[in-house]
């Protein structure tokens, strides 16, 4: 049964608690040098969100600079091709800089400016968060340094150039497997060293409190819009919603508005990579267990000694050994379910969406499309499946061409 | 027997600060670490800090990151870190502290990790990414096992936060001399003495200073105001140099210690 939405109930999930916990997950696991900066950030964030001027300024930036609201698009051809559910795409791919990341970056850069920080740092995997941060820093005249794994710089070269065009310094990270996890380590080392004048714009619902809470709030605009839009278009809520999950910001951003709607099934899609052998994937819920990494307690791909596993995904943005702590909580509660999509299926889905709808999706977002390829045909024609198309795929075209070429 | 408390009592009686040396356990391999520990203790080190190699040491600079990578490549596991402590204990009764990251503790089970550490002869744990806010379980397990928990205070630690850290801490307090990661540096911050005074208003524990202490004049400056001096990267660099056979590494460590320890006297 679909619940009534005339009056919103008090939310069942009012998290995190005052210690930054989502049940047993989350927390503040950082070196002492950062603790007072995290407390300062939390109180600045709470003060800003309570300030109507700040919220008005953020709304203006989201509208005029980023291009909100984004459309909710009925993908008729894709729906017909898959032969089942009526599919809607939330078009975060149409935002300025190409993905949902700008929602969070504008919020955090405005906050940094309000806190009097002159310098901003960020990590990036696919380069979408780095590009959005660089653009927001250019917009507000802040110094910007982006840390990016050397392997990611290779496979996302276009985004490296975009960041540099916007005036950011991009620092390659050569440690470990040279992807997102190493970029976060290096960004945290920078922050420890420059904490007094620098704000760290973490790009996902990860890390120490207050980041998971703050990034969720800045991304929840996705779900707030989508919920109103689907009610407008269909007169009812969707039966199922899906989004890809790397750190988990686009998915939480979409799901959050629907958590209290028990009739709406929520499915996050992780990166299945080449399969479930350790080192070949980034499906934390399928292959990981609870641990502590880079600021919080959550599900992590690791060996029995607690050393972090290598990961693989065709999409740089999902190629990460841990998942946001709030996801771990909803997973335990059964409120969000988690699936994974392999690289091969993602490549099929990428081409399918391009061919049927003329939309080139980011490889990250394509994981949700790949899930829908399996799921939509199982659903009835009167059922609605809403997919978050969290980013566009211009950055991936070269990488896809190479993968398809070498598969030939 | 509380080796840490006894050590600080003894060095105080000798009217000097304690010398605390850091190396990474298993860098470049298990047997060489045994030889390195021998060389350090023979050279006058009072307390040995053994780094447990971790894949993602986000509080460490390049020197210690590379050391951890060498140790992990050599196959060093948590069980081997404890075995190394046991080997060192065959010869030495000076305090040994494990410098670690929380996931290594958590993955083994907090109580099991603490028990194994104690049984191996470890005197204390310093968990880099575990502020007192998150340390309840580890502190309880450590108290039950008579293992010390060393906590960090930083230049960014406000004075009103110090009682909370002091409450959780035992053994000694580790003051990091600068905002940043581990690693050698040219000069030390000049306000360490003020920090010592603030910390001592809140804790009766010995206070040691580390991060960036890499020269005899740094050792001398720190020893005048603190209860102990921690030297890490400068010694890890002695391990890192080629050739990396045990006797070359031990010789380089002895030579470096001769230079550094004059700062204590």
């Amino acid at each position: 049964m679909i619940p009534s939405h005339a009056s919103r109930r008090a939310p069942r999930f009012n998290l995190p608690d005052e210690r930054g916990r989502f049940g047993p997950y989350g927390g503040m696991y950082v070196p002492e040098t950062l603790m007072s900066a995290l407390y300062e950030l939390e109180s600045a964030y709470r003060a800003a969100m309570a300030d109507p001027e700040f919220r008005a300024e953020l709304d203006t930036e989201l509208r005029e600079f980023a291009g909100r609201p984004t459309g909710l698009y009925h993908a008729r051809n894709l729906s017909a091709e898959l032969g089942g559910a009526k599919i809607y795409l939330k078009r975060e791919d149409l935002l300025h800089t190409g993905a949902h990341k700008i929602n969070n970056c504008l919020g955090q850069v405005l906050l940094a400016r309000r806190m009097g920080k002159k310098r901003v740092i960020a990590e990036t995997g696919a380069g979408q968060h780095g590009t959005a941060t660089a653009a927001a820093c250019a917009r507000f005249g802040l110094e910007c340094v982006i840390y990016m794994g050397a392997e990611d710089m290779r496979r996302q070269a276009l985004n490296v150039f975009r960041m540099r065009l916007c005036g950011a310094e991009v620092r390659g990270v050569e440690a470990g497997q040279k992807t997102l996890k190493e970029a976060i380590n290096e960004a945290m080392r920078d922050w420890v060293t420059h904490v007094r004048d620098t704000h760290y714009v973490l790009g996902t619902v990860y890390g120490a409190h207050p980041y998971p809470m703050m990034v969720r709030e800045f991304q929840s605009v996705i779900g707030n819009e989508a919920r109103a839009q689907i009610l407008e278009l269909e007169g009812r809520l969707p039966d199922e919603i899906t989004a890809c999950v790397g750190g988990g910001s686009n998915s939480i951003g979409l799901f959050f508005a629907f958590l209290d709607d028990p009739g709406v099934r929520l499915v996050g899609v992780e990166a299945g990579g080449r399969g479930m052998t350790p080192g070949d994937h980034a499906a934390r819920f399928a292959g990981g267990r609870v641990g502590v990494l880079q600021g919080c307690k959550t599900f992590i791909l690791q060996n029995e000694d607690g050393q972090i596993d290598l990961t693989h995904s065709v999409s740089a943005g999902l190629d990460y050994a841990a998942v946001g702590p709030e996801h771990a909580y909803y997973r335990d509660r059964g409120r969000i379910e988690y699936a994974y999509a392999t690289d091969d299926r993602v490549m099929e889905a990428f081409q399918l969406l391009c061919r049927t709808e003329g939309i080139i999706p980011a490889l990250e977002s394509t994981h949700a499309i790949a899930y829908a390829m399996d799921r939509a045909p199982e659903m009835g024609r009167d059922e609605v499946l809403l997919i978050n198309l969290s980013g566009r795929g211009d950055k991936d075209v070269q990488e896809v061409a190479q993968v398809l070429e070498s598969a030939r | 027997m509380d080796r840490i408390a006894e050590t600080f009592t003894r060095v105080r009686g000798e009217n000097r600060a304690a010398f605390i040396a850091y190396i990474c356990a298993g860098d470049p391999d298990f047997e060489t670490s045994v030889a390195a520990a021998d060389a350090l203790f023979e050279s006058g080190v009072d307390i040995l800090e053994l780094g447990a190699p971790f894949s993602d040491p986000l509080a460490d600079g390049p020197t210690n990151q590379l050391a951890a990578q060498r140790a992990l490549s050599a196959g060093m596991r948590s069980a081997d870190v404890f075995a190394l402590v046991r080997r060192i204990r065959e010869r030495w009764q000076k305090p040994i502290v494990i410098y670690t990251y929380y996931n290594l503790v958590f993955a083994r089970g907090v109580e099991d990790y603490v028990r194994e550490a104690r049984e191996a002869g470890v005197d204390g744990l310093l968990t880099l990414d575990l502020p007192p806010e998150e340390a309840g379980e580890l502190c309880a397990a450590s108290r039950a096992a008579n293992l010390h928990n060393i906590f960090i205070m930083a230049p960014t630690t406000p004075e009103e936060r110090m009682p909370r850290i002091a409450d959780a801490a035992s053994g000694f307090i580790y003051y990091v001399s600068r905002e940043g990661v581990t690693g050698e540096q040219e000069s030390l911050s000049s306000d360490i003495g003020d920090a010592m005074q603030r910390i001592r208003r809140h804790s009766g524990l010995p206070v040691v200073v580390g991060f960036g202490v890499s020269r005899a004049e740094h050792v001398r400056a720190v020893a005048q105001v603190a209860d102990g001096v921690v030297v890490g990267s400068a010694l890890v660099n002695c391990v890192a140099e080629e050739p990396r056979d045990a006797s070359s590494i031990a010789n380089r460590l002895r030579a470096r210690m001769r230079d550094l320890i004059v700062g204590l006297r």
Side-chain angles (χ1 to χ4, degrees):
Chain A
M1 196 194 100
I2 305 297
S4 153
H5 307 291
S7 65
R8 299 287 310 196
R9 299 171 308 277
R12 285 193 298 148
F13 300 105
N14 187 20
L15 293 171
D17 65 18
E18 72 284 355
R19 295 173 57 219
R21 293 265 168 184
F22 302 88
Y25 307 110
M28 303 169 89
Y29 295 87
V30 296
E32 172 60 25
T33 302
L34 295 179
M35 287 302 287
S36 57
L38 290 171
Y39 285 123
E40 180 201 8
L41 178 59
E42 182 182 356
S43 73
Y45 164 75
R46 289 189 192 282
M49 294 306 272
D51 176 357
E53 269 185 46
F54 178 85
R55 300 192 76 125
E57 187 176 15
L58 178 55
D59 284 348
T60 303
E61 292 301 323
L62 288 172
R63 191 173 63 244
E64 294 176 4
F65 186 68
R68 299 213 73 89
T70 60
L72 188 67
Y73 168 72
H74 179 198
R76 288 183 178 78
N77 299 335
L78 179 66
S79 304
E81 175 101 5
L82 294 177
K86 192 169 181 181
I87 297 173
Y88 281 91
L89 303 177
K90 180 61 174 162
R91 297 295 307 273
E92 296 293 296
D93 62 314
L94 294 179
L95 284 173
H96 178 44
T97 66
H100 72 292
K101 295 293 186 185
I102 191 75
N103 302 328
N104 169 50
C105 291
L106 284 172
Q108 286 203 44
V109 166
L110 282 175
L111 190 58
R113 197 184 56 162
R114 193 182 155 102
M115 292 169 75
K117 305 285 183 183
K118 303 273 183 262
R119 181 172 177 270
V120 159
I121 58 170
E123 84 295 341
T124 197
Q128 289 304 112
H129 175 59
T131 302
T133 305
C137 285
R139 163 80 183 80
F140 290 104
L142 296 174
E143 181 187 345
C144 180
V145 174
I146 305 291
Y147 289 92
M148 188 171 190
E151 164 62 12
D152 289 341
M153 288 179 74
R154 183 198 63 75
R155 55 181 168 171
Q156 302 286 336
L158 178 68
N159 273 341
V160 175
F161 189 56
R162 294 208 297 165
M163 288 182 258
R164 287 179 173 153
L165 282 174
C166 291
E169 180 188 343
V170 182
R171 294 186 185 167
V173 180
E174 295 284 347
Q177 69 178 48
K178 306 174 189 184
T179 60
L180 180 56
K181 175 168 68 74
E182 291 77 19
I184 294 178
N185 284 336
E186 213 51 42
M188 289 190 74
R189 290 180 187 122
D190 180 310
W191 201 31
V192 169
T193 309
H194 302 285
V195 60
R196 288 177 202 264
D197 71 344
T198 296
H199 174 65
Y200 178 17
V201 180
L202 189 60
T204 189
V205 287
Y206 196 77
H209 180 65
Y211 282 103
M213 168 183 78
M214 180 171 71
V215 178
R216 177 194 73 200
E217 289 301 313
F218 287 141
Q219 292 294 359
S220 62
V221 63
I222 304 172
N224 293 339
E225 281 180 14
R227 196 172 185 284
Q229 287 167 323
I230 197 73
L231 286 174
E232 168 94 26
L233 291 167
E234 287 286 329
R236 68 181 189 91
L237 291 174
D239 298 280
E240 187 167 328
I241 301 180
T242 186
C244 67
V245 182
S249 71
N250 90 81
S251 49
I252 283 284
L254 176 62
F255 294 166
F256 196 66
F258 298 91
L259 284 173
D260 291 326
D261 298 318
V264 180
R265 186 181 183 208
L266 308 174
V267 180
V269 186
E270 298 184 279
R274 292 180 289 251
M276 283 301 108
T277 309
D280 276 354
H281 67 91
R284 291 66 46 100
F285 289 126
R289 61 197 166 77
V290 179
V292 171
L293 179 67
Q294 294 174 333
C296 62
K297 186 181 281 184
T298 185
F299 272 72
I300 297 168
L301 295 169
Q302 56 183 315
N303 72 15
E304 56 179 49
D305 238 21
Q307 307 292 351
I308 309 307
D309 277 346
L310 302 181
T311 53
H312 166 78
S313 169
V314 69
S315 74
L318 305 186
D319 197 351
Y320 182 55
V323 63
E326 189 166 6
H327 283 279
Y329 175 78
Y330 296 133
R331 183 251 195 198
D332 282 4
R333 300 283 297 254
R335 182 61 192 101
I336 305 179
E337 298 162 63
Y338 294 86
Y340 59 82
T342 60
D343 288 354
D344 290 346
R345 287 296 273 173
V346 167
M347 283 302 169
E348 285 177 48
F350 183 89
Q351 295 168 85
L352 175 68
L353 191 66
C354 294
R355 179 168 56 76
T356 57
E357 298 287 351
I359 295 173
I360 301 174
L363 284 174
E364 290 75 20
S365 324
T366 309
H367 283 68
I369 307 290
Y371 168 77
M373 289 196 324
D374 294 328
R375 179 61 186 142
E378 300 171 355
M379 297 172 70
R381 284 175 192 282
D382 54 343
E383 291 188 288
V384 172
L385 174 61
L386 195 160
I387 303 171
N388 201 15
L389 195 62
S390 56
R392 74 177 87 122
D394 308 32
K395 70 188 175 64
D396 294 313
V397 168
Q398 222 167 11
E399 180 74 5
V400 169
Q402 271 180 25
V403 172
L404 294 179
E405 184 62 34
S406 66
R408 208 160 275 148
Chain B
M1 181 181 69
D2 185 341
R3 298 186 190 100
I4 290 178
E6 284 174 8
T7 296
F8 281 104
T9 305
R10 177 172 55 79
V11 301
R12 226 168 258 158
E14 295 167 11
N15 202 20
R16 66 175 176 93
F19 195 104
I20 300 160
Y22 169 94
I23 53 169
C24 178
D27 170 26
D29 56 50
F30 185 98
E31 290 300 328
T32 307
S33 280
V34 177
D38 284 342
L40 291 169
F41 279 141
E42 284 163 7
S43 303
V45 163
D46 298 298
I47 299 175
L48 181 64
E49 254 184 38
L50 276 180
F54 181 47
S55 55
D56 292 87
L58 56 80
D60 282 297
T63 299
N64 288 354
Q65 291 173 44
L66 290 171
Q69 276 181 25
R70 287 191 295 270
L72 290 173
S73 307
M76 203 70 186
R77 301 172 53 91
S78 289
D80 302 313
V81 175
F82 298 137
L84 175 61
V85 174
R86 241 176 258 119
R87 267 290 285 287
I88 297 170
R89 279 275 168 259
E90 291 173 9
R91 258 195 86 185
W92 300 100
Q93 287 307 311
K94 294 182 177 184
I96 298 176
V97 170
I98 302 279
Y99 169 110
T100 189
Y101 288 85
Y102 191 54
N103 201 46
L104 300 177
V105 178
F106 186 79
R108 214 166 178 80
V110 172
E111 282 189 21
D112 285 350
Y113 191 98
V114 164
R115 183 179 44 75
E116 286 180 73
R118 193 64 190 141
E119 285 171 6
V122 174
D123 299 288
L125 298 179
L126 196 178
T127 312
L128 269 289
D129 53 352
L130 194 73
E133 280 85 342
E134 306 291 355
E137 188 182 2
L138 181 61
C139 285
S142 303
R143 263 195 302 277
N146 269 325
L147 189 71
H148 286 297
N149 259 295
I150 292 121
F151 280 87
I152 284 179
M153 293 195 191
T156 53
T157 304
E159 187 157 355
E160 60 268 24
R161 184 173 160 73
M162 288 181 175
R164 177 169 210 170
I165 300 173
D167 278 354
S170 66
F172 56 91
I173 285 176
Y174 191 126
Y175 178 73
V176 299
S177 71
R178 60 153 180 233
E179 291 148 36
V181 294
T182 57
E184 295 192 57
Q185 66 184 3
E186 295 286 311
S187 63
L188 277 186
S189 160
S190 58
D191 46 17
I192 291 175
D194 295 343
M196 295 299 102
Q197 286 186 358
R198 279 197 303 280
I199 295 169
R200 287 187 174 120
R201 282 202 285 270
H202 301 283
S203 172
L205 290 175
V207 185
V208 310
V209 176
F211 279 38
V213 182
S214 49
R215 299 175 175 193
E217 68 257 32
H218 302 162
V219 172
R220 184 172 296 115
V222 169
Q224 280 168 7
V225 292
D227 301 296
V229 184
V230 189
V231 178
S233 296
L235 298 171
V236 174
N237 278 330
C238 294
V239 177
E241 269 176 51
E242 302 279 356
R244 285 199 200 122
D245 61 284
S247 75
S248 302
I249 286 174
N251 285 338
R252 288 197 295 268
L253 285 171
R254 284 194 192 90
R256 194 71 199 260
M257 282 300 301
R258 276 194 296 276
D259 291 342
L260 290 167
I261 210 157
V262 295
L264 272 195
R265 314 285 172 186

